[in-house]
Amino acid sequence: MKFSTKCVHASGGPDSTGAISHPIYMSSTFAHPELGAPGYQYTRESNPTRDRLQDLIAALEDGTDAFAYSSGMAAIDGALHLFQPGDHLILGDDLYGGSIRMFTNIYEQYGIEFTYVGTSDLDAVKAAIKPNTKGIYIETPTNPMMEITDLRELSEIAHNIGALVIVDNTFLSPYFQQPLNLGADIVIHSGTKFIGGHHDVISGFVIVKDEELAAKLRLSFKTIGACLSPMDCWLVIRGVKTLALRMEQHQKNAIALAEWLKTQPKVTKVLFPGLPEHPGYEINKSQTTGFGGMLSFEVDTEETAKKVLEGVELIQFAESLGGTESLLTYPVTQTHPDLKPEDAERKGITRRLLRLSVGIEDTDDLIADLAQAFNK
């Protein structure tokens, strides 16, 4: 099936009732017809509605197994359970701030060692490798600086030392990028974002191809219990049906807004992988089918940034991303407040930087809203 058809049908056909919309199985427990009979037992372990969603997400990422978690952070936590005290991981140095907070405040205390590297520089990645390096965790594009990593080359480097490659694919969604087909071992999503797509459900996903990895993940998944509820699973299934359509409009709007922002006198920099001048443009084109709906831009002063944030009317000043409504975010105080000021400044996450999650509204309306905010 083509991707857009998978979005609608890969969760499976109607059940025995003929229901086109798959039922929400709200039961916490299931009766057994006889001793030893196969089937469902307890929703923390498995649930028919969640199974439908997991099959759908696995199909979209071209994986063999997927795990639906209660949030994107829970999904990251689930993947980190594959590692042990004494292991070393290389991390991209421009990750979502919540991920950094988890690695620093939780997993470093458990004895896992981390080294942050700009993974667009593969020589820097090689230089960071240690005898105990067991994994490389990245985003591409990164949040919020939109840096691009060559997934094929990175995967080869990692696999040569027996390390796993974990890719947070939230920004592009499986519609535009499928890291498992580029050499990655594990794909993570905050399903709250583009996959759910409507700002109405929190969810996270881990997807793999390798059966051994899947078995390890399933053990921690059912044991810890950070699984997605049946109702939320149904909401995500419903959201995914329009994923392909939404991603095309997100991208159409993002390209137009990036080009418009370049012409604005108070904008000093536009960070969007779909601009030919972006340093990662060619690599991104080689490993994706598009550029997505996320961009960041820098303005001339902190005062301008504040004026734009408070001046938008159609676009909402809010944290998060990936939904039908456009959201403007201030990374330095919203997504990355835990960074040390000097680290934030070094990465370009300053009080002049804004991140825009471009929604599916009419392009001209979005441009008009930004224009009036700049000119207030």
Side-chain angles (χ1 to χ4, degrees), residues 11 22-26 43 46-57 67-70 195-196 200-205 221 226-241:
S11 63
H22 189 67
I24 306 168
Y25 286 90
M26 295 298 290
T43 280
S46 59
N47 176 280
T49 312
R50 191 187 309 128
D51 282 356
R52 287 268 183 153
L53 173 59
Q54 291 175 158
D55 289 346
L56 171 61
I57 299 300
F67 304 88
Y69 289 85
S70 57
I195 287 179
D200 59 5
V201 60
I202 303 290
S203 63
F205 299 97
F221 180 73
C227 50
L228 193 61
S229 75
M231 181 67 199
D232 288 343
C233 288
W234 183 86
L235 284 170
V236 178
I237 291 171
R238 185 179 65 167
V240 168
K241 292 181 188 295

Side-chain angles (χ1 to χ4, degrees), residues 77 81 84-86 103-113:
D77 181 64
H81 285 122
Q84 305 176 42
F103 300 143
T104 302
N105 295 317
I106 305 298
Y107 278 95
E108 282 186 359
Q109 296 181 50
Y110 293 164
I112 296 178
E113 182 185 358

